Structure formats: C-alpha cells, structure tokens
Amino acid sequence: MGDNFIYKGNNHFIIIGWNERVRTLFTYLEESLFLNEIVLIDNTLETPSVLSQYVYFIKGDPTDSQTLVKANIKYATTILITANAHQTEEEADLQSLISLIASKGQNPSIYSVVEILTSKQIVNARHAGADQIIHRSLPISHLMYDKLFSKEMLN
C-alpha cells in the first residue's frame, strides 16, 4: 500500500487525515460490527502499523484528484475529512474545504462529514456541500465552561 496502491472496492468509507481522533475512531470501529472497508488518505503518515485488515492506506494529497481516484471515490459511500494537526486552524480549515470540493467534484452524492476548527468556515463548508460538520472547538468550549462553573469547583 502507499504511493502506488489503488483501491478497487466499492461501498467503502474514505477518511482523510491521521490524528489521535482517527486512531480512537478505528478502535471504536474494531469493537463494533462495522463491516465496511475504509481507505485512509494522508500525506504525513509514513508506515501505518496500527491499521486493521479492513483499512487500506494511500499516502497522498487529499486535495489532488488523482489521490481521490486511487481511493476509488466514485464508488465510496461516505467521506470523513479531519483537520490537519500539522497546520494552523485557518490553514487546516482551508485544506479541509478544498478536500471537500475535490471529493464532491468526483462523487457529488458522497455523504460527507467535515471537521472544521474555526467558526467562520462553517458556512463555507455548508456551501461546499458538507452533509455534517464537526465544529471541534464548540463542544470543548461548552465543556470548559461547564467545568469552570460547576458546583464542585466552586466549593
């Protein structure tokens, strides 16, 4: 797998980006009865030793149409685009939006879930066709507020 690998299956999921949240997601999927194959696209990961037998890896740029062709995106059902942890929030959001546009350009009906870090890009993700948006800072902000003002902390 890697640079020259081409995925030939269909009805699969594509996950763009590798980070701790994706690693944890794979743990949950392995514990469930999830049967779909997954194609992971990332350009920072070298040799994925932690992937299961149902996960295929393509090293490449997720904004490049040729990388998406290697992932057989035309026959995928769902795509999860995660924020690049190696970039600023603004850069990560722009890359996620470009990845979404490139994905929808090749498969307009793919169900897309996109992680967005800045509030100002949420509307652009909707305009670009995101079916679901994970605004990562929002739930954490609520949790921080709850923890700061919980009764346990005030006592």
Side-chain angles (χ1 to χ4, degrees):
M1 288 188 276
D3 291 335
N4 297 321
F5 177 73
I6 297 175
Y7 181 76
K8 303 263 191 221
N10 55 36
N11 296 322
H12 56 291
F13 283 39
I14 296 175
I15 297 178
I16 292 179
W18 177 254
N19 53 41
E20 281 304 311
R21 293 174 306 285
V22 173
R23 182 190 307 262
T24 303
L25 174 63
F26 283 161
T27 303
Y28 294 146
L29 293 175
E30 286 177 2
E31 293 172 357
S32 71
L33 295 175
F34 184 80
L35 298 176
N36 293 69
E37 291 184 333
I38 297 171
V39 176
L40 171 67
I41 299 173
D42 188 83
N43 57 5
T44 62
L45 192 60
E46 286 304 320
T47 306
S49 58
V50 296
L51 303 180
S52 77
Q53 63 185 8
Y54 301 106
V55 179
Y56 299 85
F57 174 63
I58 295 175
K59 183 174 179 69
D61 179 356
T63 65
D64 182 352
S65 63
Q66 289 305 309
T67 302
L68 297 172
V69 167
K70 287 181 181 179
N72 207 15
I73 192 166
K74 285 188 179 182
Y75 299 99
T77 60
T78 305
I79 189 164
L80 169 64
I81 301 171
T82 67
N84 187 331
H86 304 286
Q87 297 178 319
T88 67
E89 289 183 344
E90 291 80 12
E91 291 170 335
D93 281 353
L94 293 177
Q95 181 172 345
S96 293
L97 290 172
I98 295 168
S99 295
L100 175 62
I101 292 166
S103 300
K104 288 287 189 171
Q106 299 226 7
N107 182 346
S109 64
I110 195 166
Y111 186 82
S112 57
V113 180
V114 183
E115 180 182 28
I116 295 294
L117 303 178
T118 62
S119 298
K120 66 182 180 180
Q121 295 301 341
I122 290 174
V123 67
N124 290 330
R126 285 196 187 105
H127 290 317
D131 294 294
Q132 293 287 330
I133 298 169
I134 300 168
H135 184 203
R136 190 173 76 193
S137 63
L138 203 58
I140 298 299
S141 298
H142 285 271
L143 182 61
M144 287 177 180
Y145 179 87
D146 288 345
K147 295 298 179 191
L148 278 173
F149 297 103
S150 67
K151 290 183 181 176
E152 294 81 26
M153 187 171 178
L154 295 177
N155 291 333

